[in-house]
Each structure stands twice: as C-alpha cells, then as structure tokens.
Amino acid sequence: MKFFIDTADLNEIKEAASLGILDGVTTNPSLMAKIGITGAENIKQHYIDICNIVDGDISAEVISTDFEGMVREAKELVALHPNIVVKIPMIKDGVKALKWCTDNNIRTNCTLVFSAGQAILAAKAGATYLSPFIGRLDDINWDGVQLIEQIVHIYRNYGYETQVLAASIRNPLHIIRCAEVGADVVTCPLSSIMGLFKHPLTDIGLAQFLADYKKGNG
Ligand code: G3P
C-alpha cells in the first residue's frame, strides 16, 4: 500500500518525507487556501516546490468544471513537472476530461468520489487513481471503509487498473482498515501517519531497556 500525505504544508511534507516512507502528495484547493497560497502562478509554483521535495506522484487539482477548461488546466499542470497527476472532480465533464487525459497519456486522480457507481465510471474512463472520501462518508453515518472494500472488489472483478486511493482519512485506524480491505493507496494528514507509531508498550519497553542499560553501564 502506497502512503501519500494529504496537505499543501511544505513543513509537514518535509517531515513525512524524512521518514523515508512517503510515496506521494495530494492537495486540493481547500488545503492550498488553508496555508494562504492564492493566485494561479503562486499555486503552480507551490506544486513545483512540492515536486522538489517528494519524488513521487503529486496530485494537482483543476478548478474548471467544464470539459474545455479542465483539459486546458490539465495540459498546464502536467507541463509543470513529470510527477504531476491531474486531479479531476467526479462530474459529467470530469469523466469526459478523464477519458481525454487517458487518451493523451496524462495521469489522473478522480476526486470527490462517494459511490461505487462513480468508481465504475472513473475506471471506464481510465483514471490512474480514484479518491473515495471515507471520512466525509463516516461524518454522515455511512461506512467509508466499506465503500473502499466494495470498489476494490469491483475493480478486481474486471481487472480495472485504476488504483483505489483512500482519501479524507481522519485517524490511524482508517489507515489500518483501508489496508485490510486492499486499498492501493492512502492519503493521510501528518497526524494520522504519526499516530501509527503510538503504542504504550513500545514506550514502556524502551524506557525499561534504557534504564537497564544505564544500571549496567553507568
Ligand atoms: O484531499 C481530499 C480529502 O482528503 C479531504 O479530506 O478531511 O477534508 O474530508 P477532508
């Protein structure tokens, strides 16, 4: 399972990258706005800065909602760096744009996915990645991880190559459950990645080892 970080914050990206286990980065317009990156040129430069930190797939999202606009933006975004993956929303023109990108060798991440039906459409259009938002489903009392399991099952039935990228991860348990049901990728906030380290017995055991070493070695 690939690990992506879901942030536009360069310090968080550097911290996750320093662990040596980071495979990529996803961003979205909300995450860009959260850290005060505004204006088309600044946003493009920020994508380049991210690409210079992480040698992996970096999702950059279009803001157009019409086919022509999405295709124009896709061309501009992939020209920034070879690792850019164009993030396209799950709407009708988005599916058309996904197919255009597939036919023109541009890698894509279909975002804002909340159902298996949408997942089938994106796979048929040849999306590279599919981003179901599991936390937002949990927020409305649907089971987000169950959707990941359903989509993984459907994709395996037909050998679709689209990779299931679980997004809207909110905690470490989401990551573990996504791994159990076969997600190809998880994109997580730094806090969820760091949460995977935590176990009280590790802390107690390490403290004991160090105390015993000190007793014997001064
Ligand atoms: O990148 C999209 C997704 O991960 C958003 O997460 O927490 O805003 O639902 P969240």
Side-chain angles (χ1 to χ4, degrees), residues 6 26-28 31 61 87 111 131 133 135-136 139 166-170 187 189:
D6 193 28
T26 53
T27 60
N28 61 44
L31 293 171
E61 187 157 346
K87 209 170 175 189
T111 189
S131 290
F133 280 23
R136 293 191 193 186
D139 288 343
S168 186
I169 296 262
R170 300 280 171 75
T187 188

Side-chain angles (χ1 to χ4, degrees), residues 41-216:
E41 291 313 309
N42 290 337
I43 290 171
K44 282 182 188 164
Q45 183 56 50
H46 203 73
Y47 287 136
I48 294 169
D49 292 344
I50 294 172
C51 289
N52 288 334
I53 297 171
V54 178
D55 184 19
D57 288 347
I58 312 298
S59 288
E61 187 157 346
V62 300
I63 47 155
S64 300
T65 54
D66 63 298
F67 172 77
E68 288 77 15
M70 285 190 241
V71 165
R72 176 182 45 76
E73 282 191 69
K75 289 180 195 164
E76 289 171 5
L77 290 170
V78 292
L80 296 176
H81 194 279
N83 288 352
I84 291 283
V85 175
V86 182
K87 209 170 175 189
I88 294 178
M90 172 34 76
I91 56 176
K92 202 188 286 182
D93 276 32
V95 170
K96 292 182 197 173
L98 287 172
K99 181 67 169 73
W100 185 91
C101 287
T102 304
D103 292 343
N104 287 275
N105 296 316
I106 291 177
R107 294 179 310 137
T108 53
N109 175 356
C110 180
T111 189
L112 289 167
V113 170
F114 294 93
S115 77
Q118 293 175 330
I120 293 169
L121 291 171
K124 293 278 295 176
T128 313
Y129 294 105
L130 179 91
S131 290
F133 280 23
I134 66 172
R136 293 191 193 186
L137 281 170
D138 288 359
D139 288 343
I140 59 160
N141 296 319
W142 290 48
D143 188 338
V145 175
Q146 199 172 58
L147 175 64
I148 300 292
E149 187 171 25
Q150 186 183 24
I151 295 170
V152 167
H153 180 78
I154 291 169
Y155 281 10
R156 285 191 186 149
N157 278 350
Y158 295 100
Y160 287 131
E161 287 177 10
T162 300
Q163 296 177 57
V164 180
L165 189 170
S168 186
I169 296 262
R170 300 280 171 75
N171 54 59
L173 191 56
H174 268 155
I175 300 174
I176 295 161
R177 291 194 60 214
C178 284
E180 282 175 342
V181 300
D184 299 291
V185 191
V186 282
T187 188
C188 329
L190 182 62
S191 58
S192 299
I193 298 174
M194 300 313 277
L196 292 174
F197 281 101
K198 289 184 188 160
H199 199 290
L201 292 179
T202 302
D203 299 339
I204 292 166
L206 182 59
Q208 184 70 55
F209 285 158
L210 295 180
D212 289 343
Y213 176 84
K214 208 171 168 188
K215 265 188 255 164

